[in-house]
Amino acid sequence: MFRSHTCGKLRVENINTEVTLAGWVQTVRKFGSITFVDLRDRYGITQLLFNENLNAELDANPLGREFVIQVKGKVSERSNKNLNIPTGEIEIAVESFSILNKSITPPFTIQDDTDGGDELRMKYRFLDLRRNAVKKNLELRYAVGRSARNYLHENEFMDIETPFLIKSTPEGARDFVVPSRMNAGQFYALPQSPQTFKQLLMVSGYDRYYQIVKCFRDEDLRADRQPEFTQIDCEMTFVEQEDIIQMFEKMIRRIFKDVKNIDYNEAIEKITWEEAMWTYGNDKPDIRFGMKLNNLKFPAHTFPTKVDISATIKSDFAVFNEAETVIAFCVQNCNDYSRKQTDELVEWVKRPQIGMKGLAFIKCNVDGTFKSSIDKFYTEEQLKNIATTCHAVAGDLILILAGAEEKTRKATSDLRMHMGTTLGLRNANDFKLLWVVDFPLFEYAEEDNRWVARHHPFTSPKPSDINTMINNNPKIENAAEYLKHPYANIKANAYDMVLNGNEIGGGSIRIYQKELQQKMFAALGMDDAEQQHKFGFLLGAFEYGAPPHGGIAFGFDRLCSILGGSESIRDFIAFPKNNSGRDVMIDAPSTIDNKQFEELQIKLDFKD
RNA sequence: GGGUUGGUAGUUCAGUUGGUUAGAAUGCUGCCCUGUCACGGCAGAGGUCGCGGGUUCGAGUCCCGUCCAGCCCGCCA
């Protein structure tokens, strides 16, 4: 053995023990004839004391940062203690040492507050991983995974592996494809999720399955999106929506307890998709703060159950009159915003990413009067009405956006989040869970004038909507009025779990009858031959006693990053890819040898 | 595909209106130092200002193009 203890282990009770330690040199502090060295490993830092009789040997074998060394010596009490670290009361009086391996000077400091930038840290990720800050994130990730596994194991879930080399089905995200040498001209796809396999496992009778599994999607990246990512993928047989919700609420509460020692005992609110869009402009709202949206004018066909109150804003103001939608929300205690601050908000919504033409505001003065950017179109009485509608009181600021429905709703949602962040209402240590349910089953795809599955094609409609689906022709005769098609109102038996404005999990009760599945594929524009080609195996399996089933998948990386208080999932992945999908450490992707192309019988044909 | 911010010493950054030898901190090297733990002191080395082109007497600075990186929109069932 190279060591008797780790560098985080020794305490005052070990004084006078003879020990052997091994680790990396964090720092060398030389004081004339004595030298201090901080020795680091995964478990901590232990100070080494080299006294004067080792000077000759140190001069002959000088130590540098990140050298790997082994020391033998006696644990002794420090004369000056450092209570900032667990081992700070002791040090090792070194009797002998050996250099196991040298290191060249690292390109950045291996410290909690490193001087290295992101790019360099990624290139030398193996050094970055030595840092405490990164190590803590990977430890948190391990803890989340362990907690989930323990919970699922205790509840009879069985971990079953599914293949990575599967069949491409260009529905949904773009597939990563892998050429097959033995089947020239044919390709595997890497799974976007093990969806069909876990359903087949249900058909096989493995009634509770889970897998913490890699999934692959060839789409553009973000701070919270990687081309390969990990899901906690789960499926259950003989369940309804509420069974899944109960089971996995408990799992999340367990993870909060195990990982963060948080007793998340409060009830987790359920909100319908329509209500979420109406109230927050968003299907994954952050409900840690209010600022609920007030729809002053909206297209009734989008939210048929809501009441139009556009009379509130009746005036000569062309912008509001011509807008499809007018949405306002109230920011508490911000009526003292300066001209500069309101101008900044106007500029913020005019950025290309938001793309609004402007922003109206009403300041509710403490004396009960109003000051507004739309003063000349509205009387004091009307402004007061709008304020009342927005639940604003004296001292508040009302922000109003107007324009096309979808764009305006999204912009208002973005502005609400922006205000939440600006006002410090989005604390990374506050956690608020939410279920969003009753999503539309279909979405309208304008370019093809057809329906696409909002969740995925295996999601079943709400039981009450099954007849609507079966008894109507999915074909859209009048593109302009697609919202009047019966399919537009079919709700999915699906649910998303939202944490602090992030979708951390989503699932559905699946279709398990062959006929309904065929109807679904047909609704998505697949004829019988195409259905058979792409999903014949699934339709076939449904003929042999497929049980009712459903499931859910959690975004493991994202869940970890939120629990760790970070916006970026890269911090929680040992070897992540950069914005362009590159691994800058191993320099992948890369070209391959001509021999490999020949074996695969593939020729490149670059466009320009 | 689009928007936006950045690229200067090993590293993190500053660099004014276009004008002398491009700076600081940290790291590195050497010397000094017996209680440090962000040790301290002194000295030193270290630069293709991302790359290419242009404007100019003169470009790190202005213009055009391009590459790389970060964030966002589109996209992501």
Side-chain angles (χ1 to χ4, degrees), chain A residues 408-469:
Chain A
T408 305
R409 194 160 294 280
K410 181 169 184 341
T412 315
S413 167
D414 290 345
L415 181 61
R416 172 180 172 271
M417 295 290 264
H418 176 68
M419 294 309 295
T421 304
T422 305
L423 298 172
L425 304 174
R426 306 190 64 208
N427 186 331
N429 294 314
D430 292 338
F431 299 99
K432 196 95 176 174
L433 289 160
L434 173 73
W435 286 104
V436 179
V437 298
D438 296 358
F439 287 83
L441 185 63
F442 295 105
E443 241 170 1
Y444 177 65
E446 207 177 321
E447 56 275 26
D448 303 331
N449 187 41
R450 68 166 177 95
W451 301 108
V452 292
R454 190 187 169 85
H455 188 56
H456 57 51
F458 316 105
T459 298
S460 75
K462 285 265 163 198
S464 54
D465 286 335
I466 289 179
N467 284 335
T468 309
M469 186 160 152

Coordinates of all heavy atoms in Angstrom, one line a residue, chain A residues 408-469:
Chain A
T408 N -46.2 37.6 -27.8 CA -46.5 38.5 -26.7 C -46.5 37.7 -25.4 O -46.0 38.1 -24.4 CB -47.8 39.3 -26.9 OG1 -47.7 39.9 -28.1 CG2 -48.0 40.3 -25.7
R409 N -47.1 36.6 -25.4 CA -47.2 35.7 -24.2 C -45.8 35.3 -23.8 O -45.5 35.4 -22.6 CB -48.1 34.5 -24.5 CG -48.6 33.8 -23.2 CD -49.8 32.9 -23.5 NE -51.0 33.7 -23.8 CZ -51.8 34.3 -22.9 NH1 -51.5 34.2 -21.7 NH2 -52.8 35.1 -23.3
K410 N -45.0 34.9 -24.7 CA -43.7 34.5 -24.4 C -42.8 35.6 -23.9 O -42.1 35.5 -22.9 CB -43.0 33.9 -25.7 CG -41.6 33.4 -25.4 CD -41.0 32.5 -26.5 CE -39.7 32.0 -26.2 NZ -38.9 32.6 -25.1
A411 N -43.0 36.8 -24.6 CA -42.2 38.0 -24.2 C -42.6 38.4 -22.7 O -41.7 38.7 -21.9 CB -42.5 39.1 -25.1
T412 N -43.9 38.3 -22.4 CA -44.3 38.7 -21.1 C -43.8 37.8 -20.1 O -43.3 38.2 -19.0 CB -45.9 38.8 -21.0 OG1 -46.4 39.4 -22.2 CG2 -46.4 39.5 -19.8
S413 N -43.8 36.5 -20.4 CA -43.2 35.5 -19.5 C -41.7 35.8 -19.3 O -41.3 35.7 -18.1 CB -43.4 34.1 -20.1 OG -42.7 33.2 -19.4
D414 N -41.0 36.1 -20.4 CA -39.6 36.3 -20.2 C -39.3 37.6 -19.4 O -38.4 37.6 -18.6 CB -39.0 36.5 -21.6 CG -38.9 35.2 -22.4 OD1 -39.0 34.2 -21.8 OD2 -38.7 35.3 -23.6
L415 N -40.2 38.6 -19.6 CA -40.1 39.8 -18.8 C -40.3 39.6 -17.3 O -39.6 40.1 -16.5 CB -41.0 40.9 -19.4 CG -40.9 42.3 -18.7 CD1 -39.5 42.9 -18.8 CD2 -42.0 43.2 -19.3
R416 N -41.3 38.8 -17.1 CA -41.7 38.4 -15.7 C -40.5 37.7 -15.0 O -40.1 38.1 -13.9 CB -42.9 37.5 -15.7 CG -43.2 36.9 -14.3 CD -44.4 36.0 -14.3 NE -44.5 35.4 -13.0 CZ -43.9 34.2 -12.7 NH1 -43.2 33.6 -13.6 NH2 -44.1 33.7 -11.4
M417 N -39.9 36.8 -15.7 CA -38.7 36.1 -15.2 C -37.5 37.1 -15.0 O -36.8 37.0 -14.0 CB -38.2 35.0 -16.1 CG -39.2 33.9 -16.3 SD -39.4 32.9 -14.8 CE -38.3 31.5 -15.3
H418 N -37.4 38.0 -15.9 CA -36.3 39.0 -15.8 C -36.5 39.8 -14.6 O -35.6 40.1 -13.9 CB -36.3 39.8 -17.1 CG -35.4 41.0 -17.1 ND1 -34.0 40.8 -17.1 CD2 -35.5 42.3 -17.0 CE1 -33.4 42.0 -17.1 NE2 -34.3 42.9 -17.0
M419 N -37.8 40.3 -14.4 CA -38.1 41.1 -13.2 C -37.8 40.3 -11.9 O -37.3 40.8 -10.9 CB -39.5 41.6 -13.2 CG -39.8 42.6 -14.4 SD -38.6 44.0 -14.5 CE -38.9 44.8 -13.0
G420 N -38.2 39.0 -12.0 CA -38.0 38.1 -10.8 C -36.5 38.0 -10.5 O -36.1 38.1 -9.3
T421 N -35.7 37.9 -11.5 CA -34.3 37.8 -11.3 C -33.7 39.1 -10.8 O -33.0 39.2 -9.8 CB -33.6 37.4 -12.6 OG1 -34.1 36.2 -13.1 CG2 -32.1 37.2 -12.4
T422 N -34.1 40.2 -11.5 CA -33.6 41.6 -11.1 C -34.0 41.9 -9.7 O -33.1 42.5 -8.9 CB -34.3 42.6 -12.0 OG1 -34.1 42.3 -13.4 CG2 -33.8 44.0 -11.7
L423 N -35.1 41.5 -9.2 CA -35.6 41.9 -7.9 C -35.2 40.8 -6.8 O -35.6 40.9 -5.7 CB -37.1 42.1 -7.8 CG -37.6 43.2 -8.7 CD1 -39.1 43.1 -8.8 CD2 -37.1 44.5 -8.3
G424 N -34.4 39.9 -7.2 CA -33.8 38.9 -6.3 C -34.9 37.9 -5.7 O -34.8 37.4 -4.6
L425 N -35.9 37.6 -6.6 CA -36.9 36.7 -6.1 C -36.7 35.3 -6.6 O -37.5 34.4 -6.4 CB -38.3 37.2 -6.7 CG -38.6 38.6 -6.3 CD1 -39.9 39.1 -7.1 CD2 -38.8 38.8 -4.8
R426 N -35.5 35.1 -7.2 CA -35.2 33.7 -7.7 C -34.0 33.2 -7.0 O -32.9 32.9 -7.6 CB -35.1 33.8 -9.2 CG -36.3 34.4 -9.9 CD -36.2 34.2 -11.4 NE -36.3 32.8 -11.7 CZ -35.8 32.3 -12.8 NH1 -35.1 33.1 -13.7 NH2 -35.9 31.0 -13.1
N427 N -34.1 33.0 -5.7 CA -32.9 32.5 -4.9 C -32.7 31.1 -5.2 O -33.6 30.2 -5.1 CB -33.3 32.7 -3.4 CG -32.1 32.4 -2.5 OD1 -31.3 31.5 -2.9 ND2 -32.1 33.0 -1.4
A428 N -31.4 30.7 -5.5 CA -31.0 29.4 -5.9 C -31.2 28.4 -4.7 O -31.3 27.2 -4.9 CB -29.6 29.3 -6.3
N429 N -31.4 28.9 -3.5 CA -31.5 28.0 -2.4 C -33.0 27.8 -2.0 O -33.3 27.1 -1.0 CB -30.7 28.5 -1.2 CG -29.3 28.4 -1.4 OD1 -28.8 27.4 -1.9 ND2 -28.6 29.5 -1.1
D430 N -33.9 28.5 -2.7 CA -35.3 28.2 -2.5 C -35.8 27.3 -3.5 O -35.5 27.4 -4.7 CB -36.1 29.5 -2.6 CG -35.8 30.5 -1.4 OD1 -35.3 30.0 -0.4 OD2 -36.0 31.7 -1.6
F431 N -36.6 26.3 -3.2 CA -37.1 25.3 -4.1 C -38.6 25.2 -4.1 O -39.2 25.1 -3.0 CB -36.4 23.9 -3.8 CG -34.9 23.9 -3.9 CD1 -34.2 24.0 -2.8 CD2 -34.3 23.9 -5.1 CE1 -32.8 24.0 -2.8 CE2 -32.9 23.9 -5.2 CZ -32.2 24.0 -4.1
K432 N -39.2 25.2 -5.3 CA -40.6 25.1 -5.3 C -41.0 24.2 -6.5 O -40.7 24.5 -7.7 CB -41.2 26.5 -5.6 CG -42.7 26.6 -5.3 CD -42.9 27.1 -3.9 CE -44.4 27.3 -3.7 NZ -44.8 27.6 -2.3
L433 N -41.7 23.1 -6.2 CA -42.1 22.1 -7.2 C -43.5 22.4 -7.6 O -44.3 23.0 -6.9 CB -42.0 20.7 -6.6 CG -40.6 20.2 -6.3 CD1 -40.7 19.0 -5.3 CD2 -39.9 19.7 -7.6
L434 N -43.8 21.9 -8.8 CA -45.1 22.1 -9.4 C -45.3 21.0 -10.5 O -44.4 20.6 -11.2 CB -45.1 23.5 -10.1 CG -46.3 23.9 -11.0 CD1 -47.5 24.2 -10.1 CD2 -45.9 25.1 -11.9
W435 N -46.5 20.5 -10.5 CA -46.9 19.7 -11.6 C -47.7 20.5 -12.6 O -48.6 21.2 -12.3 CB -47.8 18.5 -11.1 CG -47.1 17.4 -10.4 CD1 -47.2 17.3 -9.0 CD2 -46.3 16.4 -10.9 NE1 -46.5 16.2 -8.6 CE2 -45.9 15.6 -9.7 CE3 -45.9 16.0 -12.1 CZ2 -45.1 14.5 -9.9 CZ3 -45.1 14.9 -12.3 CH2 -44.7 14.1 -11.2
V436 N -47.4 20.3 -13.9 CA -48.2 20.9 -15.0 C -48.8 19.7 -15.7 O -48.1 18.7 -16.1 CB -47.3 21.7 -16.0 CG1 -48.2 22.3 -17.1 CG2 -46.7 22.8 -15.2
V437 N -50.2 19.7 -15.8 CA -50.9 18.6 -16.4 C -51.8 19.1 -17.5 O -51.9 20.3 -17.8 CB -51.7 17.9 -15.3 CG1 -50.9 17.3 -14.2 CG2 -52.8 18.8 -14.7
D438 N -52.4 18.1 -18.2 CA -53.4 18.4 -19.3 C -52.8 19.2 -20.4 O -53.4 20.2 -20.8 CB -54.6 19.2 -18.7 CG -55.4 18.3 -17.7 OD1 -55.0 17.1 -17.5 OD2 -56.4 18.8 -17.1
F439 N -51.7 18.8 -20.9 CA -51.1 19.4 -22.1 C -52.0 19.1 -23.3 O -52.7 18.0 -23.3 CB -49.7 18.9 -22.4 CG -48.7 19.3 -21.4 CD1 -48.5 18.7 -20.2 CD2 -47.9 20.4 -21.7 CE1 -47.6 19.2 -19.3 CE2 -46.9 20.8 -20.9 CZ -46.8 20.2 -19.6
P440 N -52.0 19.9 -24.3 CA -52.6 19.5 -25.6 C -51.9 18.3 -26.1 O -50.6 18.2 -26.0 CB -52.4 20.7 -26.5 CG -52.0 21.8 -25.7 CD -51.3 21.2 -24.4
L441 N -52.6 17.3 -26.7 CA -52.0 16.1 -27.2 C -51.2 16.5 -28.5 O -50.1 16.0 -28.8 CB -53.0 15.0 -27.5 CG -52.5 13.7 -28.0 CD1 -51.6 13.0 -26.9 CD2 -53.6 12.7 -28.3
F442 N -51.8 17.4 -29.3 CA -51.2 17.7 -30.6 C -50.8 19.2 -30.6 O -51.4 20.0 -30.0 CB -52.3 17.5 -31.7 CG -52.6 16.0 -31.9 CD1 -53.9 15.6 -31.4 CD2 -51.8 15.1 -32.5 CE1 -54.2 14.3 -31.5 CE2 -52.2 13.8 -32.6 CZ -53.4 13.4 -32.1
E443 N -49.9 19.4 -31.5 CA -49.5 20.7 -31.9 C -49.6 20.9 -33.4 O -49.4 19.9 -34.1 CB -48.0 21.0 -31.5 CG -47.8 22.1 -30.5 CD -46.3 22.0 -30.0 OE1 -45.5 21.2 -30.5 OE2 -46.0 22.8 -29.2
Y444 N -49.9 22.1 -33.8 CA -50.1 22.3 -35.3 C -48.7 22.6 -35.9 O -48.0 23.5 -35.4 CB -51.1 23.4 -35.5 CG -51.3 23.7 -36.9 CD1 -51.8 22.8 -37.8 CD2 -50.9 25.0 -37.5 CE1 -52.0 23.1 -39.1 CE2 -51.1 25.3 -38.8 CZ -51.7 24.3 -39.6 OH -51.8 24.6 -41.0
A445 N -48.4 21.9 -36.9 CA -47.1 22.2 -37.6 C -47.5 22.9 -38.9 O -48.0 22.3 -39.9 CB -46.4 20.9 -37.9
E446 N -47.2 24.2 -38.9 CA -47.6 25.0 -40.1 C -47.0 24.6 -41.4 O -47.7 24.5 -42.4 CB -47.3 26.5 -39.7 CG -48.2 27.5 -40.4 CD -47.8 28.9 -40.0 OE1 -47.4 29.1 -38.8 OE2 -47.8 29.8 -40.9
E447 N -45.7 24.3 -41.3 CA -45.0 24.0 -42.6 C -45.6 22.8 -43.3 O -45.6 22.8 -44.5 CB -43.5 23.9 -42.3 CG -43.1 22.8 -41.3 CD -43.1 23.3 -39.9 OE1 -43.9 24.3 -39.6 OE2 -42.4 22.7 -39.1
D448 N -46.1 21.8 -42.6 CA -46.6 20.6 -43.2 C -48.2 20.6 -43.2 O -48.8 19.6 -43.7 CB -46.1 19.3 -42.5 CG -44.6 19.3 -42.6 OD1 -44.0 19.8 -43.5 OD2 -44.0 18.7 -41.6
N449 N -48.8 21.6 -42.5 CA -50.2 21.6 -42.3 C -50.7 20.3 -41.7 O -51.6 19.6 -42.3 CB -51.0 21.9 -43.6 CG -52.4 22.1 -43.3 OD1 -52.8 22.7 -42.3 ND2 -53.3 21.6 -44.2
R450 N -50.0 19.8 -40.7 CA -50.5 18.6 -40.0 C -50.2 18.7 -38.5 O -49.7 19.6 -38.0 CB -49.8 17.4 -40.6 CG -48.3 17.3 -40.3 CD -47.7 15.9 -40.7 NE -46.3 15.8 -40.5 CZ -45.8 15.3 -39.4 NH1 -46.5 15.0 -38.3 NH2 -44.5 15.2 -39.2
W451 N -50.7 17.6 -37.8 CA -50.5 17.6 -36.4 C -49.1 16.9 -36.1 O -48.7 16.0 -36.8 CB -51.6 16.8 -35.7 CG -53.0 17.3 -36.0 CD1 -53.9 16.8 -36.8 CD2 -53.5 18.6 -35.4 NE1 -55.0 17.6 -36.8 CE2 -54.8 18.7 -36.0 CE3 -53.0 19.5 -34.6 CZ2 -55.6 19.8 -35.7 CZ3 -53.8 20.6 -34.3 CH2 -55.1 20.7 -34.8
V452 N -48.5 17.4 -35.0 CA -47.4 16.7 -34.5 C -47.6 16.4 -33.0 O -48.4 17.2 -32.4 CB -46.0 17.5 -34.6 CG1 -45.6 17.6 -36.1 CG2 -46.1 18.8 -34.0
A453 N -47.0 15.4 -32.5 CA -47.2 15.1 -31.0 C -46.5 16.1 -30.2 O -45.3 16.3 -30.4 CB -46.8 13.7 -30.7
R454 N -47.2 16.7 -29.2 CA -46.5 17.6 -28.4 C -45.5 17.0 -27.5 O -44.4 17.5 -27.3 CB -47.6 18.4 -27.6 CG -47.0 19.6 -26.9 CD -47.9 20.2 -25.9 NE -47.1 21.2 -25.2 CZ -46.8 22.4 -25.5 NH1 -47.2 22.8 -26.7 NH2 -46.0 23.1 -24.8
H455 N -45.9 15.8 -26.9 CA -45.0 15.1 -26.0 C -44.3 14.0 -26.9 O -43.2 14.3 -27.3 CB -45.9 14.4 -24.9 CG -45.1 13.8 -23.8 ND1 -44.1 14.5 -23.1 CD2 -45.0 12.6 -23.3 CE1 -43.6 13.7 -22.2 NE2 -44.1 12.5 -22.3
H456 N -44.9 12.9 -27.2 CA -44.3 12.0 -28.2 C -45.5 11.1 -28.6 O -46.6 11.1 -28.0 CB -43.2 11.2 -27.7 CG -43.4 10.4 -26.4 ND1 -44.5 9.5 -26.3 CD2 -42.7 10.3 -25.3 CE1 -44.4 9.0 -25.1 NE2 -43.4 9.5 -24.4
P457 N -45.3 10.4 -29.7 CA -46.5 9.7 -30.3 C -47.0 8.5 -29.5 O -48.0 7.9 -30.0 CB -45.9 9.2 -31.7 CG -44.5 9.6 -31.7 CD -44.1 10.2 -30.5
F458 N -46.5 8.2 -28.4 CA -46.9 7.1 -27.6 C -47.8 7.6 -26.4 O -48.3 6.7 -25.6 CB -45.7 6.3 -27.1 CG -44.7 6.1 -28.2 CD1 -43.5 6.8 -28.2 CD2 -45.0 5.2 -29.2 CE1 -42.6 6.6 -29.2 CE2 -44.1 5.1 -30.3 CZ -42.9 5.8 -30.3
T459 N -48.0 8.9 -26.3 CA -48.8 9.4 -25.2 C -50.2 9.3 -25.5 O -50.7 9.6 -26.6 CB -48.5 10.9 -25.1 OG1 -47.1 11.1 -24.7 CG2 -49.3 11.6 -24.1
S460 N -51.0 8.8 -24.5 CA -52.4 8.6 -24.8 C -53.2 9.9 -24.5 O -52.8 10.7 -23.7 CB -52.9 7.5 -23.9 OG -53.1 7.9 -22.5
P461 N -54.3 10.0 -25.2 CA -55.2 11.1 -24.8 C -55.8 10.9 -23.5 O -55.8 9.8 -23.0 CB -56.2 11.1 -25.9 CG -56.1 9.8 -26.6 CD -54.9 9.2 -26.2
K462 N -56.4 12.0 -22.9 CA -57.2 11.8 -21.7 C -58.3 10.8 -22.0 O -58.9 10.9 -23.1 CB -57.8 13.2 -21.3 CG -56.9 14.1 -20.7 CD -56.9 14.1 -19.2 CE -55.7 14.7 -18.6 NZ -55.5 14.3 -17.2
P463 N -58.7 10.0 -21.1 CA -59.7 9.0 -21.4 C -61.0 9.6 -22.0 O -61.6 9.1 -22.9 CB -60.1 8.4 -20.0 CG -58.8 8.6 -19.2 CD -58.1 9.8 -19.7
S464 N -61.3 10.8 -21.5 CA -62.5 11.5 -22.0 C -62.4 12.0 -23.5 O -63.4 12.3 -24.1 CB -62.9 12.7 -21.1 OG -61.8 13.5 -21.0
D465 N -61.1 12.0 -24.0 CA -60.9 12.5 -25.3 C -60.7 11.4 -26.3 O -60.5 11.7 -27.5 CB -59.7 13.5 -25.3 CG -60.0 14.8 -24.7 OD1 -61.2 15.2 -24.7 OD2 -59.1 15.5 -24.2
I466 N -60.6 10.2 -25.9 CA -60.3 9.1 -26.8 C -61.3 9.0 -27.9 O -60.9 8.8 -29.1 CB -60.2 7.7 -26.0 CG1 -59.0 7.7 -25.1 CG2 -60.1 6.5 -27.0 CD1 -58.8 6.5 -24.3
N467 N -62.6 9.1 -27.6 CA -63.6 9.1 -28.7 C -63.4 10.2 -29.7 O -63.6 10.0 -30.9 CB -65.0 9.1 -28.1 CG -65.3 7.7 -27.5 OD1 -64.7 6.7 -27.9 ND2 -66.2 7.7 -26.5
T468 N -63.1 11.4 -29.2 CA -62.9 12.5 -30.1 C -61.8 12.2 -31.1 O -61.9 12.5 -32.3 CB -62.5 13.8 -29.3 OG1 -63.4 14.0 -28.3 CG2 -62.4 15.0 -30.2
M469 N -60.8 11.5 -30.6 CA -59.7 11.2 -31.4 C -60.0 10.1 -32.5 O -59.7 10.3 -33.6 CB -58.5 10.7 -30.6 CG -57.2 10.5 -31.4 SD -55.8 10.5 -30.3 CE -54.7 9.4 -31.2

